[in-house]
Amino acid sequence: MAAIDSTKKSGRFLQSRRYTHDTFTDAQEAFTSVLDINASEIYIDHGLIPSSGLPYNSLGQNASIYSNSGQQVMKYYYRQTMTKSDTNNEVWFFLVPTGSTSGIGASLINGGQQINFISPKYSISSLANSNTEDATPGYGVKVLINGVQQSVNNYAFDYKTGVLQFASSGVAPSAGQVVSISAYQYVGRTLSSQIGGGSSIYDIFKPTGSFFATTNDLQVTGSLRIKGDLIVEGKTTLIQKLDPNVESLVVSGAMSIVQNQINSQIISASLSIQGLGTLSDVSSNSVIDLGGFF
């Protein structure tokens, strides 16, 4: 029986194919979905991450949080002390607070493990090789051993999981040495934070016939433009809070006030104005106060 070929397996996953038999060629494997991504892993504020002009690169800016359009987007760490694996000195973890100097187990995820760091893919191409401490900073992490910067050829940093791996024991730090790192971390919103924790988006909007429906309250900050009919089955209240001199309702075009029937009861069409009275159809004894014009 052939052993699992990790290179073939990774390659097929990148092609959205399954990996079953080592003896199969790429063309023999079936196309399918091979990535398991949940709502907590999807950044919805990625458009607010600056591609240039990064705001922080020094000690005095450690733990600073960058916001854009009123939304927190990323946090800066300046030379955060890493925590080693208790297996060897080749693997280090980004923990806050820093873990034991004797190291932590690598088989389980520590509660203080920091994830979701911003990689150079978010910057313009001219900053692809710039690190987070450069005079013109980029998103590349800066790794140091006892304060001495390490060559990018000596390590690999996983921006998603916050795991730092040295290429070999020959370039890994020795016992007692301190590894630190400077990095930007994404702290913006994820899809799950906007649809109610880890619930499905269909818990918010559900397909109902030819439209989507929700039993949740909706809040819109900003303008709402509807191209089509607006049907409200319930009371509509318009409140002008920003400027009392601005109309709450402006109707451009025709407006009709008509009778409404609820079950067997017919509700007369009427218009009531506080302090003036009610204007309704001829079947009602309506009175409206016209002041001196009556």
Side-chain angles (χ1 to χ4, degrees):
M1 176 186 249
I4 294 174
D5 190 319
S6 298
T7 301
K8 284 184 179 180
K9 187 173 184 178
S10 298
R12 287 175 189 169
F13 282 179
L14 290 174
Q15 299 174 64
S16 294
R17 293 179 184 267
R18 293 192 310 183
Y19 178 88
T20 57
H21 297 285
D22 178 62
T23 55
F24 274 16
T25 66
D26 287 358
Q28 289 176 290
E29 293 285 10
F31 282 102
T32 187
S33 175
V34 296
L35 298 179
D36 180 7
I37 299 176
N38 62 51
S40 67
E41 298 174 280
I42 300 174
Y43 301 167
I44 66 172
D45 291 320
H46 65 90
L48 301 180
I49 299 174
S51 60
S52 62
L54 279 61
Y56 313 126
N57 65 347
S58 62
L59 172 60
Q61 298 165 322
N62 181 50
S64 294
I65 295 179
Y66 167 83
S67 296
N68 189 340
S69 301
Q71 173 62 45
Q72 293 186 349
V73 180
M74 58 188 190
K75 182 176 182 178
Y76 180 65
Y77 290 92
Y78 179 85
R79 302 194 180 185
Q80 170 71 19
T81 299
M82 300 288 279
T83 302
K84 67 182 291 293
S85 166
D86 61 7
T87 302
N88 56 43
N89 292 345
E90 296 175 20
V91 176
W92 297 70
F93 302 95
F94 200 121
L95 301 186
V96 176
T98 302
S100 169
T101 55
S102 60
I104 61 171
S107 297
L108 299 176
I109 297 178
N110 186 280
Q113 178 77 51
Q114 298 300 301
I115 61 174
N116 295 342
F117 293 92
I118 302 175
S119 75
K121 80 174 185 178
Y122 289 96
S123 69
I124 58 176
S125 57
S126 61
L127 295 178
N129 296 319
S130 299
N131 69 54
T132 54
E133 289 189 26
D134 283 338
T136 302
Y139 289 117
V141 295
K142 182 174 182 177
V143 176
L144 307 97
I145 297 178
N146 281 2
V148 178
Q149 182 178 356
Q150 302 300 293
S151 168
V152 294
N153 298 318
N154 292 348
Y155 62 84
F157 180 70
D158 188 325
Y159 287 85
K160 182 61 183 175
T161 64
V163 176
L164 174 68
Q165 296 171 294
F166 286 92
S168 67
S169 58
V171 296
S174 57
Q177 289 189 310
V178 176
V179 176
S180 58
I181 192 169
S182 295
Y184 276 95
Q185 180 186 37
Y186 178 81
V187 294
R189 295 171 296 179
T190 61
L191 182 59
S192 65
S193 69
Q194 301 305 296
I195 62 172
S199 61
S200 166
I201 193 168
Y202 288 103
D203 291 337
I204 307 302
F205 291 102
K206 297 181 175 67
T208 306
S210 60
F211 59 90
F212 278 80
T214 179
T215 57
N216 296 273
D217 294 335
L218 297 181
Q219 179 174 313
V220 178
T221 301
S223 300
L224 175 64
R225 182 183 298 271
I226 300 175
K227 294 184 178 180
D229 296 333
L230 174 63
I231 300 174
V232 179
E233 297 180 356
K235 185 177 181 180
T236 301
T237 303
L238 303 176
I239 302 174
Q240 176 55 265
K241 290 185 176 181
L242 299 179
D243 187 346
N245 298 314
V246 176
E247 298 88 348
S248 294
L249 174 64
V250 178
V251 179
S252 178
M255 183 177 72
S256 298
I257 301 176
V258 300
Q259 288 182 337
N260 183 30
Q261 181 169 341
I262 302 176
N263 296 325
S264 60
Q265 183 179 2
I266 296 177
I267 307 299
S268 174
S270 62
L271 172 64
S272 296
I273 303 176
Q274 184 175 344
L276 294 180
T278 300
L279 179 66
S280 61
D281 58 31
V282 294
S283 64
S284 300
N285 295 320
S286 304
V287 176
I288 187 165
D289 186 356
L290 299 179
F293 298 98
F294 185 74

